[in-house]
Amino acid sequence: MMRRTGWSRREWLAGTAAAFGAGCAPAGEAPAPFADADVGDAGESAVALPEFEPRSMLHVSETRVEQPRFPVIDVHTHLTWSDVPLGPDPFGERIRKLGEPSAVLPVMDRKGVRTMVNLTGGVGPGLMVARRQFDEAHPGRFITFTEPSWNRAADPDYPRFQAEQLERDHAAGARGLKLTKTLGLYLREQITSGPLVAVDDARFDPMWETCAALNMPVAIHVSDPEAFFLPIDRFNERYEELHAHPDWSFHGSDFPSNAELLAARDRVLARHPGTTFIGLHVGHWAENLAAVGEALDRFPNFHVEIGARVGELGRQPRGARRFFEAYQDRILFGTDAIPSPEGDATPQQVFGDALYEIYYRFLETEDEYFDYAPAPVPPQGRWRIHGLGLPEPILRKVYHQNAERVLGLAA
Ligand SMILES: [Zn+2]
């Protein structure tokens, strides 16, 4: 992955590694390099795992879906990024563009994407810059969400400040609130030190309630793939990804478990029934659709979005199809796309024609065993996916109708 100067998305979430002292596997416990693996009798002919790119010999139909059956609202994109989330400067007041509208719009037009929702639009002046460059310059094509001011979370008057800041950002045009996994996994009592702040900490209650009062949906991301909470060893199904990015692991240290994070989220959903939540990445548990279904059953204010998880959904196509049938009014289309020419998108986030065509093929066709990301090696795990072949009424809801309702847009 290319590195640029300044902050990566991961650093943005984590603050500096030194400040947190957690999140990176200690050097002494780093997983063994691939070359050290026991190659058995294969000897000289053994191929190192990163170089292994098997090509399927299946003769199965390949459908290219260049345009979606119905217009699309992509509710999960990152067109801007705030640079100093937990540092000394007010969060979100400096905003960085990840893509130019002039580069993004032609892809949207070619791929039938009517509107993109930029979730990471920052706060205050940063939000205004983001909106000016996207929403206001191209009406109807872009929608921007705001974010909490994490760096003030230790202030005694934070609950009131945050509620009022939301009101100011709503007045400035923000249509929703985005929570990264900063809450639950990075934000600490003294911002960058002390114990982690729980997802259901009471200081955020006025924020959730203000979202309800202003009809601002909350796009929330807590937790991460289950494998990120397990040791990085030969049994870990995302070994290659975690081996390349050991700081993505939440195994050990003082991180809560996946189950604890989701239980705290559920307490928030229960406590704020008037607030509409969009659980990003299939409710952050695409590996367990039964559990996501239970959450959708329990909480009428909960919805899910599919960004960066067609790899999970498509490897369980029969269960996924049943999930889409059962919850067709609660699932929103999203990609987690990042149109950054600087390369801070993971392979499954690279904005472009190829990305959208994979999603459309997955949702619309019954093609079998195809790649879930435009990358030579499957980035999240070495498997391929199968299309769902969803019927038109469900496609219409997932592509745009559910998003129109949740975002309060005219159809
Ligand atoms: Zn995202």
Side-chain angles (χ1 to χ4, degrees):
M1 186 157 61
M2 268 179 66
R3 300 289 301 172
R4 37 166 190 80
T5 53
W7 289 65
S8 72
R9 296 177 60 245
R10 195 74 188 181
E11 288 159 343
W12 183 93
L13 287 165
T16 64
F20 284 88
C24 300
E29 293 172 20
F34 293 105
D36 286 353
D38 180 4
V39 295
D41 294 333
E44 294 283 294
S45 66
V47 177
L49 190 51
E51 271 113 57
F52 185 47
E53 294 179 29
R55 294 177 185 173
S56 170
M57 294 295 107
L58 285 183
H59 294 251
V60 289
S61 67
E62 289 181 38
T63 314
R64 182 157 180 215
V65 186
E66 294 187 61
Q67 286 268 322
R69 201 84 53 88
F70 303 102
V72 159
I73 299 174
D74 185 343
V75 304
H76 187 170
T77 73
H78 301 284
L79 303 175
T80 56
W81 202 259
S82 314
D83 276 337
V84 191
L86 301 177
D89 295 331
F91 164 57
E93 300 200 350
R94 284 189 280 166
I95 199 92
R96 182 162 60 85
K97 243 192 296 187
L98 299 178
E100 293 294 335
S102 59
V104 170
L105 283 162
V107 177
M108 295 171 68
D109 292 340
R110 278 199 300 278
K111 294 299 118 189
V113 180
R114 193 170 75 201
T115 303
M116 283 173 81
V117 180
N118 175 23
L119 292 181
T120 38
V123 177
L127 172 75
M128 283 192 240
V129 170
R131 286 198 74 260
R132 204 175 307 132
Q133 292 174 342
F134 288 95
D135 309 28
E136 290 168 22
H138 307 278
R141 306 307 300 277
F142 301 104
I143 285 171
T144 302
F145 276 31
T146 184
E147 302 169 80
S149 298
W150 301 121
N151 67 324
R152 294 179 187 263
D155 297 352
D157 73 335
Y158 173 75
R160 187 184 54 81
F161 168 83
Q162 185 58 74
E164 291 174 0
Q165 183 61 40
L166 255 185
E167 286 169 3
R168 286 189 287 272
D169 288 332
H170 178 260
R175 302 293 290 265
L177 177 71
K178 162 73 195 279
L179 273 90
T180 60
K181 55 185 181 280
T182 299
L183 182 58
L185 287 167
Y186 295 109
L187 181 69
R188 291 173 183 273
E189 284 297 340
Q190 287 83 47
I191 310 300
T192 58
S193 63
L196 285 161
V197 175
V199 172
D200 60 335
D201 192 285
R203 84 189 74 178
F204 302 107
D205 285 345
M207 176 175 83
W208 308 127
E209 286 305 310
T210 302
C211 285
L214 298 174
N215 280 323
M216 293 174 83
V218 178
I220 188 166
H221 178 189
V222 303
S223 194
D224 243 347
E226 250 185 290
F228 287 14
F229 294 83
L230 299 174
I232 308 173
D233 62 16
R234 67 198 179 103
F235 301 111
N236 194 309
E237 69 172 355
R238 296 177 73 141
Y239 175 80
E240 279 182 284
E241 186 183 30
L242 289 166
H243 180 84
H245 309 282
D247 58 316
W248 292 8
S249 173
F250 296 112
H251 176 66
S253 186
D254 63 345
F255 293 117
S257 68
N258 184 47
E260 286 166 336
L261 287 163
L262 294 176
R265 179 208 65 187
D266 286 352
R267 289 192 290 275
V268 172
L269 295 176
R271 214 155 67 208
H272 304 283
T275 309
T276 298
F277 291 88
I278 307 166
L280 301 175
H281 309 302
V282 195
H284 354 287
W285 209 2
E287 302 95 322
N288 191 341
L289 295 181
V292 179
E294 275 173 37
L296 287 163
D297 290 339
R298 276 178 70 197
F299 306 111
N301 54 331
F302 193 45
H303 301 72
V304 298
E305 171 274 344
I306 63 172
R309 292 296 182 274
V310 290
E312 297 297 339
L313 295 167
R315 65 170 167 152
Q316 44 182 332
R318 287 184 287 277
R321 165 100 191 199
R322 288 193 295 274
F323 181 78
F324 273 80
E325 286 168 352
Y327 301 104
Q328 56 187 274
D329 296 312
R330 317 278 290 280
I331 303 170
L332 281 62
F333 181 93
T335 58
D336 203 9
I338 300 179
S340 171
E342 296 164 326
D344 60 357
T346 57
Q348 66 274 10
Q349 290 178 301
V350 177
F351 175 80
D353 294 45
L355 180 76
Y356 285 101
E357 289 185 19
I358 289 169
Y359 279 74
Y360 303 159
R361 187 182 183 191
F362 166 65
L363 295 169
E364 295 188 21
T365 80
E366 293 188 341
D367 281 5
E368 297 185 288
Y369 200 67
F370 57 93
D371 288 327
Y372 59 81
V377 174
Q380 296 172 314
R382 283 180 175 266
W383 55 78
R384 289 189 167 90
I385 63 169
H386 307 267
L388 300 186
L390 294 174
E392 291 198 344
I394 297 183
L395 288 173
R396 206 181 275 116
K397 291 176 180 179
V398 171
Y399 275 147
H400 67 92
Q401 285 180 336
N402 293 339
E404 283 164 353
R405 193 179 64 250
V406 168
L407 295 167
L409 306 174

